[in-house]
Amino acid sequence: MAAQYGRGEPVARGGATAPIAPARRIGFLAASAVIAFVMALAAWATIIGDDNFPSRNVFSLDSVARAADFAGGMVGAESSASPAFYNPDEWAEKARLAGETLAMSVAAAGLAALGALALFMFGARNVMMGSLAPYRSPFWTAPFFLVRGLFTVSRAVPELVWAMILVFVFTQGTLPGVIALAIHNGGILGKLGSEIVEGLDTRPMRALRSTGAGRMQVLLYGVLPEALPKFITYLFYRWEVIIRTTIVVGFVAAGGLGTEFRLAMSHFKFTEVTLILFWYLVLVLFVDIVSGQLRRLGN
């Protein structure tokens, strides 16, 4: 009988049979590394190949000299005036702005959390159209796509753009910055919360429904308690990001240290820039430590 050839079939060799080894496939990590390397090369080739790329200015001694001059200005070596960090009033003013920036981050994180908590379960596919949906109908599928679209739009537009729009609505101040940060991060938290719900084990929820529980009871007593701890963990991570983004939002006069940083750079007050960056570093370290401790308590 003729030997059968094919994938996984034995092959006759001198009266003995030997299995054909399956074709070796590239692993996920190796493929990801290759794709990332190719994308990085393509990105840098695009940047360097741009007609506006200042190759002579970047790779020159003039750039080093300008960087040295800027560093000297930040420590007060390039100015005859007294550095800002020698003035107690400047320290007090920047401390007040740091407190204002911290308040902005907390308020923005709170608003983002409230918005995401109100909507994230309605953006989960298994709740609206999957195994946890009571029945499939346009009445439930339409809100799912509406909520998902809201999450996409709010997080697709950067905080700085939201702030630029809201400054024209509410005028200058911290309120536009808070709302801009809340809108953007609310979309991110909502998307993360929906993915948490979609990754839950739905067997306890289905068992709860089999006992006669209604839809809202399943959501409140089955889905929410399971999803809430991970959601809070993500919220603390986003708070760390928000405190870092407040300085960017402040560039459009949306309050906090960011507005003062832009003004100091515009008026070449580089020692004030140093003082602002110091307080900003203190804020970031403080939020990182507090957020880390709160996450440990939650775990």
Side-chain angles (χ1 to χ4, degrees):
M1 183 180 294
Q4 300 292 325
Y5 293 92
R7 187 177 181 88
E9 297 291 335
V11 180
R13 292 183 179 177
T17 60
I20 296 178
R24 187 175 181 180
R25 298 180 179 178
I26 185 170
F28 173 75
L29 292 178
S32 301
V34 171
I35 293 172
F37 181 72
V38 172
M39 290 177 65
L41 284 180
W44 278 108
T46 303
I47 293 172
I48 296 175
D50 188 0
D51 294 336
N52 296 323
F53 181 74
S55 57
R56 294 183 178 179
N57 293 332
V58 172
F59 307 106
S60 67
L61 294 177
D62 291 338
S63 298
V64 177
R66 285 194 297 270
D69 291 341
F70 182 75
M74 292 185 68
V75 297
E78 301 295 328
S79 176
S80 58
S82 176
F85 40 80
Y86 288 166
N87 188 345
D89 293 336
E90 290 289 347
W91 280 91
E93 175 63 17
K94 299 307 182 288
R96 183 189 66 80
L97 291 173
E100 183 178 288
T101 303
L102 180 62
M104 286 177 60
S105 70
V106 173
L111 286 177
L114 289 176
L117 276 173
L119 296 175
F120 78 88
M121 285 192 292
F122 302 102
R125 189 178 299 272
N126 56 349
V127 169
M128 303 301 291
M129 297 187 299
S131 59
L132 296 179
Y135 41 80
R136 298 185 180 182
S137 70
F139 180 78
W140 294 111
T141 56
F144 166 77
F145 289 109
L146 179 63
V147 171
R148 278 299 182 95
L150 182 63
F151 290 160
T152 300
V153 171
S154 61
R155 74 177 188 274
V157 179
E159 303 97 324
L160 182 60
V161 177
W162 283 120
M164 291 175 66
I165 296 172
L166 293 170
V167 160
F168 287 98
V169 177
F170 298 105
T171 70
Q172 300 179 5
T174 58
L175 182 61
V178 169
I179 298 177
L181 291 167
I183 292 174
H184 180 78
N185 289 278
I188 294 175
L189 285 172
K191 179 64 163 55
L192 292 173
S194 298
E195 292 180 350
I196 291 172
V197 175
E198 291 176 352
L200 293 177
D201 183 4
T202 59
R203 288 176 296 182
M205 295 73 166
R206 292 199 300 269
L208 186 62
R209 174 170 293 170
S210 66
T211 62
R215 177 182 177 84
M216 292 306 299
Q217 289 175 318
V218 172
L219 294 180
L220 292 176
Y221 299 107
V223 176
L224 188 60
E226 290 291 327
L228 197 56
K230 290 184 180 179
F231 178 85
I232 293 175
T233 299
Y234 284 134
L235 172 60
F236 289 139
Y237 277 123
R238 291 311 305 176
W239 184 32
E240 296 177 10
V241 176
I242 288 172
I243 194 65
R244 293 178 174 88
T245 316
T246 50
I247 195 169
V248 179
V249 171
F251 284 178
V252 292
L257 286 172
T259 301
E260 190 70 14
F261 181 85
R262 181 179 64 84
L263 292 174
M265 288 291 292
S266 300
H267 294 91
F268 304 102
K269 297 179 179 179
F270 297 130
T271 57
E272 286 193 28
V273 171
T274 302
L275 192 55
I276 292 168
L277 291 177
F278 169 79
W279 276 110
Y280 191 66
L281 178 62
V282 170
L283 275 182
V284 170
L285 291 176
F286 171 78
V287 171
D288 284 350
I289 293 171
V290 172
S291 176
Q293 293 297 326
L294 291 174
R295 286 199 305 271
R296 291 189 186 94
L297 289 176
N299 294 331

